[in-house]
Amino acid sequence: MRKFTRKDFFKGIALGTISLPIMIRSCAGENFAQQQTSANIITQKKYKWKMVTTWPPNFPVLGEACTMLADLVKKMSGGRMEIEVYGGGELVPALQAFDTVRSGAAEMGSGAAYYWAGKTPATQFFASVPFGMNAQQLNAWILCGGGMALWEELYARFNVVPLLGGNTGVQMGGWFNREINSMADLKGLKMRMPGLGGKVLERAGGSAVLLAGGEIYTGLERGIIDATEWIGPYHDYKMGFHQIAKYYYAPGWHEAGTALEFFINKDKFEELPTDLQQIIRSAAQQINVWMLSEFEAKNAIYLKKLLEEEKVQIRKYPKEVLDQLRSFTKDIIAEICEEDAFSKKVYASYKSFADRATAWAEFTEKSYYNDIVM
Ligand code: CA
């Protein structure tokens, strides 16, 4: 049995217990200080937070982003704030991260909003919608198009504050041992595919199997699943899927640019001085840019590796299949909006933004890729 190890690639960044000098700030001149010594010595309060994550410990990119955020916050706060990062299962099971933060047992968490669709379905619009917006568009909607206010309103129900925490970019369509030439090839297909994408696959006659990251390789090897999606060339290479699957399909119609998130207990966040609040927001913004850039850089390198060294066969989903899957997606979203008023409100905002962004991209991004790029 093959074990998924990442040690060769990334050194674990363990947050040690570093004792820091107590910061003393004097806000008065020397003479004044002599008169009011005790009043002028302000010992700034230190904060030690826990971050529970949905990622395996030291998981490339997604887990790294959490330790990077902790490091940034510590540096920017001059050591006033330390965040200890826990991988999934280290403090609580991965998918209990949200409830752990909600209760205040940990102050902060990292995940993807669609993991919490079982609590309330509108969360998934803040992570990924099949055939939906790409990373650039989703960032634009959330940060500059009204998405964040809706996300904050939704998470406030759980006493949690959301922050964008990165994006995978367009993912790959997955690993198969048979070609997908028509919808008939999806019938009976057992595929690891989470979220709305999984629902779409089921409507096509397949079955969506949920397996945690560490179980996928052996699941595929032993035939528990026939196919799997994961992320893109960089992560997929490390998972070793090319060793047990014949075809690598593109594109990831189910995840066109999945947003990752940090979530913070609202009371704990509001207790922080405003400068520390802003430091966390700024660090998350930095991670948001870093992660998409990291995926973009590494995926290109590892795609080349998969093609040239591993002789992986890339296939594209036929248009007929994508058209049918898109149609199923629309039906499923309409059903969700029918049943849940907040989903309807969020999707109305998402869809009107997406329509405008697509019309704009027609003459810019799309035209550039199709006609102009060298
Ligand atoms: Ca995926």
Side-chain angles (χ1 to χ4, degrees), residues 17 19 42 48 63-64 89 98 115 139 146 182 232 295 312 329 334 346:
T17 46
S19 66
I42 301 163
K48 269 188 183 260
E64 278 180 286
F98 194 84
Y115 290 156
N139 271 323
S182 71
F295 271 122
V312 161
T329 300
V346 173

Side-chain angles (χ1 to χ4, degrees), residues 114 171-172 192 194 229-231 254-255 258:
Y114 58 14
Q171 299 194 8
M172 282 293 280
R192 186 264 177 196
E229 70 81 55
W230 184 236
I231 302 179
H254 61 300
E255 293 191 84
T258 299

